[in-house]
C-alpha cells in the first residue's frame, strides 16, 4: 500500500533532502508543501521519484486541518522552522485529523513540551514525534547503540559539525543564533545546571575534518 507523506517546507533547506530521499521509495508518494506553488513545482522537476510527486500550497497558519482533509496524507513531516516560539498548532491539527506527525525541531523547550499532546495522540491512534533532528534524535541513537558496551556511563561529551558543507537557510541560522548568550539547563554531574548558548567554547579534533570549535 502506497503511503502519502506530506512534507511541510518540502523544497526548503532540510525538507528538500527528505523529499528526494523518500521519493525514491516505491511505496511512498511525496507531497511537497509550501507557500509557493511555483517553487514546489520547480523542485519536483529535480526529483527522481518512483511515484509522481505532488505539489500543494500550504500555509501552516491558515486553516491547516481543512487542508489536511483535502490532501489526505498518512504522515506529515514538519521541516518549516525555526521551532523556537512556534505553537503546537501543526501537531495538534495532525492529531485531530488522524495523521501521524514528525518534526525536525531542536529547540529544547519545544521538544520537551510536545509531551502535552501525548494523551490526545494515543486516543486518536496516531504517532506524534518531535525532535527528529541532529541533537535530540541522532545523538540519542548513537548513545543508545553504544551504551551496552559500557558498564556504567557517568558523563557524555559530544559535538556536531557540518564541515561547512550543509546548506544554511534562514530558519537554521535563526535557530542557532537564538541560543547565543541565553541560559538553558543541562545535566552536569547528575544535576541540572544552567549553561549559556555558545559559551564554554572548546576545541575538538575530528579524524577526517581536523580541529573544530564547539560551544554549548
Amino acid at each position: 500500500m502506497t503511503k502519502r507523506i506530506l512534507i511541510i517546507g518540502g523544497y526548503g533547506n532540510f525538507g528538500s533532502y527528505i523529499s528526494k530521499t523518500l521519493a525514491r521509495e516505491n511505496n511512498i508518494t511525496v507531497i511537497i508543501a509550501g507557500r509557493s506553488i511555483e517553487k514546489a513545482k520547480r523542485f519536483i522537476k529535480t526529483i527522481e521519484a518512483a511515484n509522481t510527486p505532488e505539489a500543494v500550497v500550504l500555509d501552516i497558519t491558515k486553516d491547516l486541518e481543512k487542508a489536511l482533509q483535502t490532501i489526505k496524507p498518512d504522515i506529515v513531516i514538519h521541516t518549516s522552522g525555526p521551532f523556537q516560539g512556534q505553537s503546537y498548532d501543526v501537531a495538534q491539527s495532525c492529531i485531530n485529523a488522524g495523521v501521524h506527525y514528525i518534526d525536525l525541531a531542536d529547540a529544547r523547550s519545544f521538544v520537551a513540551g510536545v509531551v502535552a499532546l501525548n494523551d490526545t495522540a494515543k486516543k486518536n491512534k496516531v504517532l506524534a514525534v518531535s525532535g527528529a533532528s541532529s541533537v535530540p534524535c541522532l545523538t540519542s541513537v548513537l548513545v543508545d547503540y553504544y551504551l551496552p558496551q559500557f558498564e556504567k556511563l557517568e558523563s557524555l561529551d559530544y559535538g556536531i559539525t557540518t564541515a561547512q558543507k550543509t546548506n544554511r537557510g534562514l530558519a537554521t541560522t535563526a535557530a542557532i543564533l537564538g541560543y547565543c548568550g541565553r541560559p538553558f539547563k543541562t545535566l552536569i554531574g547528575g544535576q541540572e545546571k544552567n549553561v549559556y548558548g555558545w559559551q564554554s567554547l572548546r576545541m575538538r579534533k575530528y579524524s577526517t575534518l581536523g580541529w573544530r570549535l564547539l560551544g554549548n
Side-chain angles (χ1 to χ4, degrees):
M1 181 179 178
T2 300
K3 295 292 185 181
R4 294 173 56 79
I5 301 184
L6 173 66
I7 304 176
I8 299 175
Y11 53 79
N13 191 32
F14 292 108
S16 60
Y17 291 109
I18 296 172
S19 299
K20 289 179 179 179
T21 301
L22 293 180
R24 302 190 191 107
E25 302 296 326
N26 292 320
N27 61 343
I28 291 175
T29 295
V30 169
I31 308 163
I32 309 300
R35 286 179 291 183
S36 170
I37 191 65
E38 291 79 13
K39 289 182 179 180
K41 288 180 176 178
R42 284 200 301 270
F43 175 70
I44 281 178
K45 293 179 180 178
T46 70
I47 294 178
E48 296 181 8
N51 297 301
T52 304
E54 300 176 17
V56 297
V57 174
L58 189 67
D59 186 334
I60 61 175
T61 66
K62 297 179 181 178
D63 208 352
L64 182 57
E65 283 191 42
K66 183 177 180 180
L68 293 174
Q69 292 171 5
T70 301
I71 300 167
K72 300 185 186 306
D74 297 292
I75 303 169
V76 166
I77 301 178
H78 182 12
T79 75
S80 186
F83 290 88
Q84 289 89 339
Q86 274 199 39
S87 70
Y88 297 105
D89 289 350
V90 177
Q92 187 65 68
S93 295
C94 290
I95 292 170
N96 293 344
V99 176
H100 300 297
Y101 167 86
I102 303 170
D103 69 44
L104 304 190
D106 59 5
R108 287 169 176 258
S109 58
F110 184 93
V111 174
V114 80
V115 70
L117 305 179
N118 185 60
D119 290 343
T120 307
K122 290 173 66 176
K123 181 179 178 181
N124 288 10
K125 297 181 180 180
V126 297
L127 180 67
V129 176
S130 184
S133 185
S134 54
V135 175
C137 182
L138 297 182
T139 305
S140 297
V141 168
L142 287 172
V143 173
D144 289 345
Y145 181 82
Y146 287 106
L147 187 59
Q149 299 182 26
F150 295 86
E151 180 178 341
K152 182 169 63 173
L153 183 64
E154 296 183 344
S155 65
L156 180 66
D157 184 18
Y158 64 88
I160 296 174
T161 181
T162 63
Q164 310 306 317
K165 293 182 179 180
T166 301
N167 295 332
R168 293 170 293 281
L170 179 60
T172 303
T173 304
I176 292 172
L177 294 179
Y179 287 115
C180 285
R182 294 188 178 183
F184 60 89
K185 292 187 180 298
T186 190
L187 283 174
I188 299 177
Q191 296 182 342
E192 281 195 343
K193 296 183 180 180
N194 275 335
V195 296
Y196 294 84
W198 291 99
Q199 303 298 309
S200 303
L201 299 178
R202 68 268 190 200
M203 297 295 292
R204 289 290 183 271
K205 188 176 183 179
Y206 291 80
S207 60
T208 58
L209 301 175
W211 289 96
R212 293 291 185 270
L213 184 64
L214 303 176
N216 292 323

